[in-house]
């Protein structure tokens, strides 16, 4: 590839260090400086490409996760509505058959058991997370 001459100005101490390093590498100051500059430019170009690609990937992931999150939120709301409706219907039916006090007691017991089950991961979740059952 053809070469082109450029001139750069550096601080005196940097120039002296460059001369010393070029001598250690047994290169001329021009050859050593060109090598350093080419490496720096290539590295920075690679970083810019990765930054640009990373930003594009991040936007795509956020878009997909956002859409998935919206769908999941709708499903959760629908499940909560269905569960609430079912719970009220069952409580009313129990209250009519066994009385309101019994219905409320059963409701409290069922809620406590449900909370406990939610605190304890299922076997499938334990397997997924690599958890073992405690003895």
């Amino acid at each position: 590839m053809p070469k082109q001459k450029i001139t750069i100005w550096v601080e005196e101490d940097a120039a002296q260090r460059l001369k010393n390093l070029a001598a250690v590498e047994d290169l001329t100051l021009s050859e050593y400086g060109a090598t350093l500059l080419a490496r720096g430019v290539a590295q920075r170009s690679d970083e810019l490409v990765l930054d640009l690609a990373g930003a594009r990937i991040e936007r795509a992931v956020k878009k997909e996760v956002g859409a998935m999150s919206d769908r999941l939120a709708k499903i959760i709301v629908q499940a909560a509505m269905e569960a609430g409706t079912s719970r009220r219907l069952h409580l009313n039916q129990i209250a009519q058959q066994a009385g309101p006090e019994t219905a409320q007691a059963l409701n409290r017991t069922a809620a406590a058991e449900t909370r406990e089950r939610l605190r304890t991961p299922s076997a499938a979740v334990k397997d997924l997370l690599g958890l073992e059952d405690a003895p």
Side-chain angles (χ1 to χ4, degrees), residues 8 11 24 34 44 57 77 83 93 95 97 109 118 123 128 133-135:
I8 60 170
E11 300 289 330
V24 168
R44 183 64 182 136
I57 291 169
V77 168
Q93 186 176 14
Q97 293 176 354
T109 302
L118 289 173
L128 182 66
D133 288 325

Side-chain angles (χ1 to χ4, degrees), residues 47-106:
E47 289 171 359
L48 289 173
V49 167
L50 289 175
D51 288 348
L52 182 61
R56 287 182 176 167
I57 291 169
E58 185 178 355
R59 281 194 304 271
V61 168
K62 282 182 178 179
K63 182 180 176 184
E64 283 303 310
V65 168
M68 183 177 64
S69 176
D70 289 346
R71 289 190 299 270
L72 185 57
K74 288 177 184 176
I75 290 170
I76 290 170
V77 168
Q78 183 179 2
M81 292 291 294
E82 294 292 332
T85 301
S86 177
R87 183 177 186 172
R88 283 174 185 77
L89 288 172
H90 288 334
L91 277 174
N92 283 336
Q93 186 176 14
I94 294 169
Q96 287 176 359
Q97 293 176 354
E101 294 82 16
T102 302
Q104 288 304 322
L106 288 171

Side-chain angles (χ1 to χ4, degrees), residues 87 105-119:
R87 183 177 186 172
L106 288 171
N107 184 46
R108 283 191 295 275
T109 302
E113 288 175 4
T114 300
R115 277 191 294 276
E116 186 56 36
R117 284 189 182 185
L118 289 173
R119 285 187 189 112

